[in-house]
Amino acid sequence: MPRIESKVRTLVSGDEEMREAVETVLDRTDDGESEVQWLDVKGDITSGQWGRLIEKGVLVEGEAGFRLADAEATRDGLGPASSATDVSAGSDVELPDDDSSWSSYDKGAAVVTIGLFVGYSWKPLRDLIGNAMDVPLGPLQEFLPFYAVVMLLALATGLYSTLLQANLMDMDKMSAYQDRMKDIQERRKEAKEAGDDDALDAIQEEQMEAMGDQLGMFKEQFRPMVWIMFFTIPVFLWMYWAIGVGGNAEAHVTLNPLVLPLRGEVQWTESVIGPIQAWIVWYFLCSMGFTQIIRKSLNIDISPSSS
């Protein structure tokens, strides 16, 4: 593990007491063959040195105590530096080789989504989509109050948004991107602590080259968002059309006053948070609540985990 060697080298650089502490741990673990507890070395190293070894990952938790993460790398870290194990060496985090380019379906959905955005400002398109969406949604609002219809729409959008993110976003790839950036940042910190200007320059160049990773992460994150907007914008345009939002617009459903938490009774198009109207606040309150319930119920975590 070249990372362990570089961490040990950074710890002992210019610190003879820390070097002696590492040598003591090596000796007490029989060169990494056994485990060691704090009581075994309490009289030879300080609690601060013990804590730093654990913090840096040189010592890791074992079955009955602590063991060296890599005894050979620890010994190498006490010796002279070599170019193969220097902190300026490239990241050892492997990135997936597969291409993350979008499929033709993804690109088609993106083009249609951009066109749907026009409906927010162009009434003819909004009316067209509103009337089309009213075919399946119209009967629903005849049997339920409109606030309940909005709740059902929030539930539906929250469900397919969660499923789309879980299935279209490559969490392994996202984790690899994050691990690589974290690895570069750690080596940069170690090189800075050691005062190694050459290593800092090399790591800076590597960090600039890794900026492409940010584009890869953005593409992975935005792919499910395209499909979410593809399905959600028509729902929003129907609500625009039904409530009568926008210039020269009229409501197409019966709207009773809405009761919002901490605000009380308000009209659907009344501004309640700055310019944000009541119907948008109600939708997002329902959407956020249902989305959290769905993720917990289905045990879906869309946050990439770093190793």
Side-chain angles (χ1 to χ4, degrees), residues 58-85:
V58 178
L59 282 175
V60 295
E61 190 172 358
E63 295 181 359
F66 286 86
R67 60 179 178 81
L68 289 168
D70 190 318
E72 183 178 355
T74 302
R75 285 193 299 271
D76 292 341
L78 295 174
S82 62
S83 58
T85 58

Side-chain angles (χ1 to χ4, degrees), residues 147 255-260 264-268 278-279 281-283:
Y147 74 86
L255 297 172
N256 296 318
L258 177 67
V259 179
L260 289 179
E265 188 175 283
V266 294
Q267 299 300 319
W268 284 83
W279 70 274
V281 174
W282 176 243
Y283 170 83

Side-chain angles (χ1 to χ4, degrees), residues 56-258:
K56 292 295 185 180
V58 178
L59 282 175
V60 295
E61 190 172 358
E63 295 181 359
F66 286 86
R67 60 179 178 81
L68 289 168
D70 190 318
E72 183 178 355
T74 302
R75 285 193 299 271
D76 292 341
L78 295 174
S82 62
S83 58
T85 58
D86 194 87
V87 292
S88 61
S91 173
D92 58 356
V93 177
E94 295 183 2
L95 294 178
D97 295 329
D98 57 306
D99 188 9
S100 62
S101 60
W102 290 9
S103 68
S104 57
Y105 295 105
D106 297 328
K107 296 175 183 177
V111 172
V112 174
T113 298
I114 293 173
L116 289 174
F117 271 108
V118 179
Y120 285 112
S121 57
W122 192 36
K123 187 176 183 296
L125 180 59
R126 185 167 64 245
D127 290 343
L128 176 64
I129 296 176
N131 281 290
M133 292 293 294
D134 194 54
V135 174
L137 296 178
L140 185 63
Q141 60 90 19
E142 291 180 2
F143 292 99
L144 295 173
F146 193 71
Y147 74 86
V149 175
V150 175
M151 289 180 64
L152 289 176
L153 292 176
L155 173 61
T157 56
L159 177 60
Y160 68 66
S161 297
T162 300
L163 294 176
L164 285 170
Q165 286 179 312
N167 287 279
L168 295 181
M169 191 181 296
D170 191 334
M171 294 303 171
D172 292 336
K173 187 179 297 183
M174 293 287 292
S175 297
Y177 286 140
Q178 289 193 355
D179 287 342
R180 185 185 182 192
M181 296 305 297
K182 182 179 179 180
D183 178 69
I184 292 175
Q185 291 172 357
E186 288 181 354
R187 288 188 292 112
R188 179 184 177 88
K189 181 180 179 181
E190 292 171 9
K192 188 174 182 180
E193 291 176 351
D196 192 338
D197 294 335
D198 292 336
L200 280 172
D201 292 339
I203 294 172
Q204 180 67 26
E205 292 180 5
E206 183 183 356
Q207 192 170 24
M208 294 299 294
E209 294 175 357
M211 291 300 292
D213 296 349
Q214 301 296 327
L215 177 60
M217 289 183 63
F218 175 77
K219 290 172 67 176
E220 289 296 326
Q221 291 173 328
F222 196 66
R223 185 187 176 203
M225 290 304 300
V226 165
W227 288 101
I228 290 171
M229 290 186 292
F230 178 82
F231 292 111
T232 303
I233 290 177
V235 173
F236 259 77
L237 292 179
W238 179 80
M239 288 191 286
Y240 264 65
W241 174 86
I243 296 172
V245 179
N248 300 321
E250 58 181 13
H252 292 82
V253 297
T254 302
L255 297 172
N256 296 318
L258 177 67

